[in-house]
């Protein structure tokens, strides 16, 4: 019997270890080690805006021919010149994907009373429509307008409005985290000075910010609202480029596209300005407090 109870206690121990030391709202709970002495918990919270560094659009070239093979050949031939012109901009700047869609067109006619007879039988196919879709992902904002002008100059059957997105580079993420740490230090200095105390050494640095959000006096885990974010300005070199920034910055200027398409593109006037996307970061720093000097 004793062996059975001991085994049950050992099995249940991990589950008990994962539970909080007290229920939310309980007046007395064990304090963490860093609260044995006077401390101040400072939550660094920063916000910045950087332009999108990805743009996507697609150009479609549709052709109707009697056979699917002939329509496919004609559609791909129409997209070939644009594909070559965009590829010349550099694979680090522009990523291309070509796909084909085929749609049968059936023999249709109207009866004397005006009723339209729509055939959907394989033996009633009159022709085929093939669309070559050239999907474009622009990874360098410097060539975005040029790429779009080339796409318009190629006279596709249809062209999408560009969509934008942001893929922050690692350097920008690191800079933003450092800015959150500095903001935490700034807030701690202001608070201690206003309270007539002095700031001591760092006890805890929590990149997740969870330590500052824990309400120890109310029983954890209960979380307070976030403090307002401080606006910071990202360096231009970090805000502008994607993860492929070193390759882009050191790469030579792209060669000119074929003369015919380049001449047509020069007459196309477009303005494409990537929108700004917000980025935020938080960091919690626990400082000790010293008596007034």
């Amino acid at each position: 019997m004793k062996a059975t109870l001991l085994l049950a206690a050992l099995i249940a121990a991990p589950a008990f270890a994962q539970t909080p030391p007290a229920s939310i709202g309980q007046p007395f709970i064990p304090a963490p080690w860093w609260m044995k002495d006077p401390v101040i918990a400072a939550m660094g919270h920063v916000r910045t805006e950087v332009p999108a560094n990805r743009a996507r659009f697609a150009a479609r070239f549709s052709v109707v021919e009697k056979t699917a093979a002939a329509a496919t050949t004609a559609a791909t031939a129409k997209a070939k010149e644009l594909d070559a012109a965009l590829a010349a901009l550099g694979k680090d700047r522009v990523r291309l994907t070509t796909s084909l869609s085929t749609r049968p067109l059936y023999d249709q006619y109207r009866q004397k009373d005006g009723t339209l007879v729509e055939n959907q039988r394989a033996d009633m196919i009159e022709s085929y429509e093939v669309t070559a879709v050239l999907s474009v992902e622009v990874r360098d904002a410097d060539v975005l307008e040029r790429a779009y002008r080339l796409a318009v100059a190629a006279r596709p059957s249809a062209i999408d409005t560009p969509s934008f997105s942001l893929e922050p580079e690692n350097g920008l993420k690191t800079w933003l985290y450092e800015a959150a740490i500095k903001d935490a230090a700034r807030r701690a200095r202001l608070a201690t000075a206003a309270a007539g105390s002095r700031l001591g050494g760092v006890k805890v640095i929590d990149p997740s910010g969870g330590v500052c959000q824990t309400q120890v006096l109310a029983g954890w885990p209960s979380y307070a609202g976030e403090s307002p974010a401080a606006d910071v300005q990202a360096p231009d070199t970090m805000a502008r480029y994607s993860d492929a920034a070193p390759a882009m910055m050191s790469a030579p200027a792209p060669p000119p596209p074929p003369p015919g398409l380049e001449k047509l593109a020069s007459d196309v006037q477009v303005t494409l300005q990537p929108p700004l996307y917000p980025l935020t970061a938080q960091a919690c720093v626990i400082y000790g407090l010293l008596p007034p000097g």
Side-chain angles (χ1 to χ4, degrees):
M1 182 65 177
K2 292 182 178 180
T4 303
L5 292 175
L6 179 60
L7 178 60
L10 291 174
I11 294 175
F16 288 124
Q18 297 172 6
T19 59
S23 302
I24 295 176
Q26 185 173 332
F28 302 105
I29 63 172
W33 65 267
W34 43 264
M35 289 193 66
K36 292 180 180 179
D37 299 315
V39 296
I40 178 172
M43 171 69 84
H45 189 189
V46 294
R47 177 186 183 276
T48 190
E49 289 186 337
V50 294
N53 56 7
R54 298 284 192 276
R56 294 176 176 83
F57 63 89
R60 294 170 173 81
F61 300 85
S62 299
V63 175
V64 176
E65 295 288 350
K66 286 295 184 182
T67 65
T72 299
T73 301
T76 53
K78 281 191 171 186
K80 184 177 180 181
E81 186 178 17
L82 176 59
D83 184 274
L86 294 176
L89 298 178
K91 64 179 181 180
D92 290 332
R93 292 178 166 90
V94 179
R95 299 287 180 89
L96 304 173
T97 303
T98 304
S99 59
L100 297 170
S101 64
T102 302
R103 183 169 69 98
L105 303 177
Y106 298 91
D107 181 26
Q108 299 177 355
Y109 61 93
R110 291 189 181 275
Q111 296 178 341
K112 292 182 179 180
D113 60 359
T115 303
L116 179 65
V117 178
E118 298 183 5
N119 293 297
Q120 296 292 330
R121 291 164 30 195
D123 62 340
M124 298 298 292
I125 295 176
E126 186 178 63
S127 56
Y128 290 88
E129 179 186 41
V130 174
T131 301
V133 182
L134 185 59
S135 300
V136 184
E137 180 188 11
V138 180
R139 294 189 162 218
D140 183 358
D142 287 343
V143 298
L144 172 58
E145 290 185 355
R146 185 176 179 183
Y148 200 76
R149 286 199 302 266
L150 289 169
V152 174
R155 299 176 181 175
S157 305
I159 185 170
D160 296 341
T161 300
S163 61
F164 296 92
S165 61
L166 174 65
E167 295 292 339
E169 61 158 338
N170 291 332
L172 178 58
K173 295 176 184 177
T174 301
W175 173 86
L176 199 59
Y177 170 66
E178 291 176 352
I181 294 290
K182 293 177 181 178
D183 184 59
R186 178 186 64 84
R187 294 176 190 246
R189 286 192 298 269
L190 290 173
T192 52
S197 184
R198 289 187 300 151
L199 200 61
V202 174
K203 291 180 175 289
V204 177
I205 299 177
D206 178 15
S208 70
V211 172
C212 286
Q213 293 176 343
T214 302
Q215 292 286 1
V216 177
L217 298 179
W220 66 274
S222 62
Y223 300 97
E226 296 181 352
S227 57
D231 290 330
V232 292
Q233 182 65 44
D236 291 339
T237 54
M238 291 185 181
R240 184 177 180 184
Y241 297 101
S242 66
D243 288 332
M248 291 180 185
M249 295 174 68
S250 60
L261 194 57
E262 174 70 11
K263 184 178 184 304
L264 292 174
S266 64
D267 296 331
V268 178
Q269 298 299 320
V270 294
T271 301
L272 299 175
Q273 186 173 8
L276 296 176
Y277 281 78
L279 289 176
T280 60
Q282 289 184 336
C284 174
V285 183
I286 307 295
Y287 292 92
L289 286 177
L290 302 176

